[in-house]
Amino acid sequence: MAFPADRSPDTEINNVVSDSGEVAETADDDNWVDAEDGETEAVASTQELPLSRQQPVLKSPQTLAMVESAFLASMVSIIWLINYYFPIGPLLRILFPIPLALVYLRWRSPAAIKGMIAAGLLLSVLMGPTRSVVFVIPYGLMSLQLGFCWVRNASWGFSIFTGALIGTFGFFFRFWLFSFLLGENLWQYVMGQITNLVDWLFLQFNILAQPDVLLVQLLAVAMVFLNSLIYMVAVHLTALLILDRLGNPIPRPPQWLKVILDYDY
């Protein structure tokens, strides 16, 4: 077979059928080889980039701390909001200090303080500054105190006692704040209720005496502190069940409580 002078035997000829049925004879362009070689080299050079020039895969600890703090702060704000509008007893109140205490366990005090401030600002927007302050004192401070004690492996007795002090302070701060906003002394109303209770107790024990004002006030403070102690015990038990499963355990309960709860871990 003879080839034209302007074509070599190595040249491939493609027969392309046009729309009109005619067969057109076209020669392949040699540049497609070069183009594919260039694309191949570009892909290979992209794949062989050094690791220092690739995008980072792992996120920085500061970013994780910020994201987790914001998430848990919004969680505790939602719990507070639900408990305020749809109260279901003390169930949700037990969870108030736990999310921010978890932030303290994972990222220490700076992230926990920022989370408390974020929760306070969010509640200030959603419910007003008064409800925001009532959350920060005592529950925000209580979460920092619990995280501080749990990180340092403090005993349950110390963390419960100090938490009860903060809870008692928060109770009286709440009374003072509401009395200031309402323009009335709400503590006198509480004193009247406690006085009636003491009078009833005196009658039951056949004590013919008028209760002293100082005795009534001490009894009121003792009742508030006892209520805070019971609340802190419930918070510790709930945190023991939740945080252990999240991989951030708290100190173990005392032996007498282990016996009561039949807790072996």
Side-chain angles (χ1 to χ4, degrees):
M1 180 178 180
F3 292 91
D6 57 345
R7 296 188 183 182
S8 63
D10 296 331
T11 304
E12 295 181 2
I13 298 175
N14 295 334
N15 293 327
V16 179
V17 181
S18 61
D19 296 337
S20 60
E22 297 179 357
V23 179
E25 188 178 72
T26 60
D28 290 333
D29 191 359
D30 295 338
N31 294 330
W32 69 273
V33 178
D34 298 336
E36 289 186 357
D37 292 341
E39 293 177 359
T40 305
E41 292 177 359
V43 173
S45 62
T46 304
Q47 294 177 353
E48 293 175 0
L49 284 175
L51 294 177
S52 59
R53 297 179 58 186
Q54 294 181 1
Q55 294 294 331
V57 178
L58 297 177
K59 298 180 176 63
S60 63
Q62 291 80 5
T63 304
L64 291 176
M66 181 180 63
V67 171
E68 289 189 9
S69 302
F71 175 76
L72 292 173
S74 61
M75 176 187 294
V76 72
S77 300
I78 292 174
I79 294 174
W80 176 272
L81 188 68
I82 294 174
N83 184 77
Y84 180 77
Y85 290 106
F86 306 100
I88 54 176
L91 180 61
L92 292 180
R93 288 184 66 246
I94 297 174
L95 301 176
F96 288 163
I98 294 179
L100 294 179
L102 177 60
V103 176
Y104 199 113
L105 286 174
R106 292 179 60 84
W107 304 107
R108 301 302 183 262
S109 59
I113 294 174
K114 292 177 184 178
M116 182 184 68
I117 295 174
L121 293 176
L122 181 59
L123 288 175
S124 179
V125 173
L126 295 176
M127 304 179 66
T130 303
R131 294 295 174 184
S132 173
V133 172
V134 170
F135 165 76
V136 173
I137 303 175
Y139 298 108
L141 298 178
M142 193 179 295
S143 62
L144 297 181
Q145 172 264 332
L146 289 175
F148 178 86
C149 293
W150 290 342
V151 164
R152 287 157 180 80
N153 202 25
S155 64
W156 277 39
F158 178 79
S159 58
I160 289 175
F161 179 78
T162 53
L165 290 178
I166 295 176
T168 304
F169 170 75
F171 177 85
F172 287 106
F173 174 82
R174 194 160 52 241
F175 258 84
W176 172 82
L177 180 62
F178 291 157
S179 298
F180 175 76
L181 295 176
L182 296 175
E184 297 181 1
N185 190 358
L186 300 178
W187 183 246
Q188 291 183 353
Y189 173 76
V190 176
M191 289 297 98
Q193 299 298 320
I194 298 297
T195 302
N196 294 333
L197 176 62
V198 174
D199 287 337
W200 180 81
L201 292 175
F202 279 10
L203 290 176
Q204 297 298 320
F205 290 98
N206 295 324
I207 301 175
L208 301 177
Q210 186 70 21
D212 188 18
V213 177
L214 181 60
L215 176 63
V216 173
Q217 291 181 350
L218 291 176
L219 182 60
V221 173
M223 292 179 63
V224 172
F225 184 74
L226 179 62
N227 181 71
S228 298
L229 282 176
I230 297 173
Y231 173 76
M232 290 304 300
V233 172
V235 169
H236 276 68
L237 293 176
T238 306
L240 182 67
L241 297 176
I242 295 177
L243 299 185
D244 280 2
R245 287 167 173 77
L246 294 178
N248 297 97
I250 66 173
R252 301 299 90 184
Q255 185 61 35
W256 62 269
L257 192 56
K258 288 183 180 180
V259 174
I260 296 175
L261 299 175
D262 193 16
Y263 186 80
D264 296 332
Y265 298 99

